[in-house]
Amino acid sequence: MPTIKDVAREAGVSIATVSYVLNKKDTFVSQETRRQVLEAIERIGYTPNITARNLKSSRTRLIGYAWHEVPNDQVNPVLDRFTYYLAQAAEAAGYHILTFTHPTDDPLPVYNDMIRTQRVDAFVLAGTVRDDARIRFLQEADFPFVSFGRSNPDWDFPWVDTDGRQGVREATEYLIGLGHRRIGMAAWPEESISGSFRLQGYFDALDAADVPFDPAYLVRGKHSEQAGRDALAYWCSLPRDEQPTAIVAITDLVAIGIMNEAERRGIVIGRDLSLIGYDDVPMSQYLRPALTTVQQPILEIGQALMRLLQMVLIQNSSAAEHALISPRLIIRDSTGALCR
Amino acid sequence: MPTIKDVAREAGVSIATVSYVLNKKDTFVSQETRRQVLEAIERIGYTPNITARNLKSSRTRLIGYAWHEVPNDQVNPVLDRFTYYLAQAAEAAGYHILTFTHPTDDPLPVYNDMIRTQRVDAFVLAGTVRDDARIRFLQEADFPFVSFGRSNPDWDFPWVDTDGRQGVREATEYLIGLGHRRIGMAAWPEESISGSFRLQGYFDALDAADVPFDPAYLVRGKHSEQAGRDALAYWCSLPRDEQPTAIVAITDLVAIGIMNEAERRGIVIGRDLSLIGYDDVPMSQYLRPALTTVQQPILEIGQALMRLLQMVLIQNSSAAEHALISPRLIIRDSTGALCR
DNA sequence: CTGTTAGCGCTTTCAC
DNA sequence: GTGAAAGCGCTAACAG
């Protein structure tokens, strides 16, 4: 592989000159010399070695992103598709994504190692939770990062997130608009941050429409298909005229559980019971009936993450920036007007 | 961040000595000196800078892997989950995965750039097709790579693949064992390489059981839900007693189309009609009924890819190694004994 | 305008 | 056993 020396020799100039025409676009290199160098580069097919550049500049133009292991019985809602857009946004900014893995229960040593070896310039975090150890660690280490997802409200760090509150509010309002008043909410446990935001959207919509909240309509469960089944089973145990006529599920996977349980009980989704999911996992459109859901704007999220990251990286502005991106309600066939 | 110089100063030795204790585990460094150096490293918290190492060794310990953009209406069968295992296998071998993207119709310039800048040591290819330009290009450039998926039979390059022929054979034999004789096959277009292998497994099973092949039972279509619907619609147009009693779908997505069309027509999958998919996408287990399918051994594939890659990288053995890994039939509820 | 030179942090001969 | 020094390929003062 040719080096800058080869170009210099070929063009009959010093390596410094070559470097000049390579970098300082407008430095004082004569037209003639520049042309010669460019021709030499072209002729021998030279491309600067990125490792050497990195060493010189103490940067790697690499952004670390940790994979989350997804249990086999679970569906990763958005992260897999997200990664593609993240990579694309990174490239547009002159970076690449370096992926790595770590034990779920002990991520810090791996992050630490990446920092100490100076493998990456920054991290993108995803799947953040309350009291997220990674956030605390990276802030402590004063190492650049941006998070996809919020964490403790009193922590000040740069993040991008979907506006789950807004998304679920829209979903719930849509159901109210269809005439529904008894609307069930299949939520996550209280610890979940994003779950809390989404739930808040449910309350927002109820409040705005003056629909009183009935605690019986709020069921909490895990991120699983079974949780959906359990929720519907519970609601079906209520007296007939107190059962929800519509349900908002915190995630498509839970919605699928509800659909499956509904089928088992002979309840027709979209007619007897309206259902809205959240995430728009790829399969949602092929469910029977196709699932009305809230779509996460993963393309925009990837772009926003890189935008914030560049602010952190370039301006070294420790001013924690945020971006809250509105999701989109995708109306399909699992929702219908209340028929009484 | 401390450098090797800092360690040397702290330990009162030369940087060479530090380097020795760091690398040559058993070089002739006195016990005492080694101890001193180790202590100094510990004390100031030193970790070698990987970029400097890379420059020195002309390696990056990075493996390039290109994302495939997945159209929004499509489900990426296995690639998203595969990537996690690939990253893990790479780490076990001391590598990291560098992800990148490229225009679907013009990948070569991006690959070329990664090579010329010496960004990565090797590539892992996925989603290979017949006459794959990337394979040709990388072989031409004599740049190390391993492919997940085969290509032209007369091309000699290192690949790892699922034994689709074996997988579909097992699936078909399972149906035959259940008493089915009229078995439909929803295949891909002839161009598809993996599709051809899988189809071959269908023929194998038929032959082995002396079930004559009926061309009416072979339908080809795209990788889409609609293709599945179309296939079933066609089969339903046959005379009642000539319709397949069981179907093998080339992929879960096509199987889902078949399920959806079956529902529309009041055909009960698992009772009136047995159905087997291929891939075991995460959602398959939650379909109604849960889909019997052929599971790709993505963990093993990731590991095999890294194993081959190390052979290519270390031994520079251009002897093209291959690994054909058997998939596993996952029996769920979409298949049942033929009841007449 | 262009060339000389000093590193970036590390590994590895080659002397001592 | 240990250290001096060259050099991986590049950038950026600093001279001239």
Side-chain angles (χ1 to χ4, degrees):
Chain A
M1 206 61 69
T3 75
I4 197 169
K5 279 186 187 166
D6 300 317
V7 179
R9 190 178 330 105
E10 178 77 14
V13 298
S14 76
I15 62 166
T17 305
V18 177
S19 180
Y20 291 146
V21 343
L22 241 36
N23 302 305
K24 326 281 187 58
K25 306 281 181 204
D26 53 348
T27 196
F28 317 73
V29 181
S30 73
Q31 282 299 322
E32 176 58 13
T33 314
R34 146 170 279 112
R35 198 182 51 72
Q36 299 232 326
V37 171
L38 258 18
E39 279 181 16
I41 288 175
E42 180 70 24
R43 213 174 312 134
I44 66 179
Y46 164 78
T47 313
N49 177 300
I50 206 159
T51 306
R53 281 192 156 169
N54 287 346
L55 177 59
K56 184 68 192 167
S57 61
S58 316
R59 293 199 285 69
T60 63
R61 297 219 151 259
L62 249 27
I63 292 163
Y65 174 78
W67 280 114
H68 293 253
E69 184 171 26
V70 178
N72 205 30
D73 64 334
Q74 207 173 291
V75 180
N76 192 326
V78 286
L79 254 28
D80 42 10
R81 295 164 67 227
F82 157 73
T83 320
Y84 174 80
Y85 293 110
L86 178 64
Q88 219 170 32
E91 283 162 34
Y95 288 85
H96 281 293
I97 300 293
L98 168 37
T99 61
F100 62 99
T101 69
H102 57 69
T104 311
D105 54 335
D106 189 25
L108 266 28
V110 180
Y111 278 90
N112 190 41
D113 206 58
M114 304 275 287
I115 295 175
R116 303 216 57 88
T117 57
Q118 295 163 74
R119 230 320 169 204
V120 298
D121 291 347
F123 291 104
V124 166
L125 263 38
T128 45
V129 296
R130 199 181 296 278
D131 296 325
D132 199 297
R134 299 169 300 169
I135 297 176
R136 199 169 357 210
F137 176 75
L138 292 175
Q139 289 220 291
E140 182 73 28
D142 197 27
F143 197 84
F145 75 96
V146 182
S147 163
F148 171 16
R150 285 166 274 185
S151 184
N152 298 22
D154 57 321
W155 287 4
D156 198 31
F157 63 94
W159 53 255
V160 173
D161 205 355
T162 307
D163 192 345
R165 180 172 180 172
Q166 162 75 10
V168 170
R169 176 180 179 146
E170 265 183 50
T172 311
E173 284 179 338
Y174 177 67
L175 291 172
I176 292 172
L178 288 174
H180 297 279
R181 289 295 174 275
R182 302 202 304 273
I183 301 173
M185 172 82 206
W188 277 330
E190 293 199 43
E191 311 88 80
S192 166
I193 296 178
S194 56
S196 303
F197 284 119
R198 294 182 197 179
L199 180 56
Q200 190 57 50
Y202 170 74
F203 292 133
D204 288 351
L206 256 38
D207 283 355
D210 277 328
V211 176
F213 166 63
D214 182 340
Y217 293 163
L218 173 60
V219 170
R220 292 180 187 270
K222 292 191 307 174
H223 177 73
S224 70
E225 193 252 4
Q226 187 60 47
R229 290 181 173 271
D230 294 345
L232 186 59
Y234 166 71
W235 283 318
C236 286
S237 75
L238 298 178
R240 191 79 185 78
D241 59 352
E242 286 177 23
Q243 295 178 5
T245 60
I247 297 172
V248 178
I250 196 84
T251 184
D252 285 355
L253 184 58
V254 171
I256 287 167
I258 292 172
M259 289 177 79
N260 288 348
E261 184 66 22
E263 164 146 328
R264 210 178 62 77
R265 292 169 177 268
I267 300 170
V268 177
I269 297 287
R271 192 194 65 188
D272 307 340
L273 180 66
S274 283
L275 177 63
I276 299 189
Y278 192 107
D279 277 341
D280 192 27
V281 299
M283 204 58 89
S284 299
Q285 60 195 314
Y286 299 128
L287 295 171
R288 305 186 305 266
L291 184 66
T292 295
T293 189
V294 179
Q295 183 182 58
Q296 295 222 39
I298 47 181
L299 169 68
E300 289 86 339
I301 286 171
Q303 293 172 340
L305 281 169
M306 282 310 302
R307 196 159 34 78
L308 291 213
L309 206 47
Q310 282 186 288
M311 298 182 65
V312 174
L313 246 20
I314 297 170
Q315 315 178 358
N316 206 6
S317 80
S318 55
E321 296 278 343
H322 311 139
L324 200 52
I325 303 180
S326 292
R328 208 157 64 90
L329 182 65
I330 307 286
I331 297 169
R332 298 206 180 95
D333 310 327
S334 66
T335 42
L338 178 69
C339 41
R340 53 189 65 231
Chain B
M1 207 60 70
T3 74
I4 197 169
K5 279 187 188 168
D6 300 317
V7 178
R9 191 179 329 105
E10 178 77 14
V13 298
S14 75
I15 61 167
T17 305
V18 177
S19 180
Y20 291 147
V21 343
L22 242 36
N23 301 305
K24 327 279 188 59
K25 304 282 181 202
D26 53 349
T27 196
F28 315 74
V29 180
S30 72
Q31 281 300 321
E32 176 58 13
T33 315
R34 147 170 279 112
R35 198 182 51 72
Q36 298 232 327
V37 171
L38 257 19
E39 279 182 17
I41 287 175
E42 179 70 24
R43 212 174 312 134
I44 67 178
Y46 165 77
T47 313
N49 177 301
I50 205 158
T51 306
R53 281 191 156 170
N54 287 345
L55 177 58
K56 187 66 194 170
S57 61
S58 315
R59 291 200 286 69
T60 63
R61 296 218 150 260
L62 249 27
I63 292 163
Y65 174 77
W67 279 116
H68 293 253
E69 183 169 27
V70 178
N72 205 31
D73 64 333
Q74 206 172 292
V75 180
N76 191 327
V78 287
L79 255 28
D80 43 9
R81 296 164 66 229
F82 157 73
T83 320
Y84 174 81
Y85 293 110
L86 177 64
Q88 219 170 32
E91 283 163 33
Y95 287 85
H96 280 292
I97 300 293
L98 168 37
T99 62
F100 63 98
T101 70
H102 58 70
T104 311
D105 54 336
D106 189 26
L108 266 27
V110 181
Y111 279 89
N112 190 40
D113 206 58
M114 305 275 287
I115 294 175
R116 303 215 58 87
T117 57
Q118 295 163 73
R119 234 311 172 207
V120 298
D121 292 347
F123 292 103
V124 166
L125 263 38
T128 45
V129 296
R130 199 181 296 278
D131 297 324
D132 200 298
R134 299 169 301 169
I135 297 177
R136 197 165 2 206
F137 176 75
L138 292 175
Q139 289 220 290
E140 183 72 28
D142 197 26
F143 197 85
F145 74 96
V146 183
S147 163
F148 172 16
R150 285 165 275 184
S151 185
N152 297 22
D154 56 322
W155 286 4
D156 197 32
F157 64 94
W159 53 255
V160 173
D161 205 354
T162 308
D163 192 345
R165 179 171 180 173
Q166 161 75 11
V168 170
R169 176 180 179 145
E170 264 183 50
T172 310
E173 284 178 339
Y174 176 68
L175 292 172
I176 292 172
L178 288 175
H180 296 279
R181 289 295 174 275
R182 302 203 303 274
I183 302 173
M185 173 81 206
W188 277 330
E190 293 197 45
E191 312 88 81
S192 166
I193 296 178
S194 56
S196 303
F197 284 119
R198 294 183 197 178
L199 179 56
Q200 190 56 50
Y202 170 74
F203 291 134
D204 288 350
L206 256 37
D207 283 353
D210 277 326
V211 176
F213 166 63
D214 182 340
Y217 293 162
L218 173 60
V219 170
R220 293 180 186 271
K222 291 192 307 174
H223 177 71
S224 70
E225 193 252 3
Q226 186 61 46
R229 290 180 172 271
D230 294 346
L232 185 60
Y234 165 71
W235 283 318
C236 286
S237 75
L238 299 178
R240 191 79 185 77
D241 60 352
E242 286 176 24
Q243 294 177 6
T245 61
I247 296 171
V248 178
I250 195 86
T251 184
D252 285 355
L253 184 58
V254 170
I256 287 167
I258 291 173
M259 290 178 78
N260 288 348
E261 184 65 22
E263 164 146 330
R264 209 177 63 76
R265 291 168 177 267
I267 300 170
V268 177
I269 297 286
R271 193 195 63 188
D272 308 339
L273 180 66
S274 284
L275 177 63
I276 299 189
Y278 193 107
D279 278 342
D280 192 28
V281 299
M283 203 58 89
S284 299
Q285 61 195 312
Y286 299 128
L287 295 171
R288 304 185 305 266
L291 184 66
T292 295
T293 188
V294 178
Q295 184 182 56
Q296 296 223 37
I298 47 182
L299 170 67
E300 289 86 338
I301 287 171
Q303 293 172 340
L305 281 168
M306 282 310 302
R307 195 158 37 77
L308 291 213
L309 206 45
Q310 283 186 287
M311 298 182 65
V312 174
L313 247 18
I314 297 171
Q315 314 178 359
N316 206 8
S317 80
S318 56
E321 296 277 342
H322 310 140
L324 199 52
I325 304 181
S326 292
R328 208 157 64 90
L329 182 65
I330 306 287
I331 296 169
R332 299 206 180 95
D333 311 325
S334 65
T335 41
L338 179 69
C339 40
R340 53 189 62 232

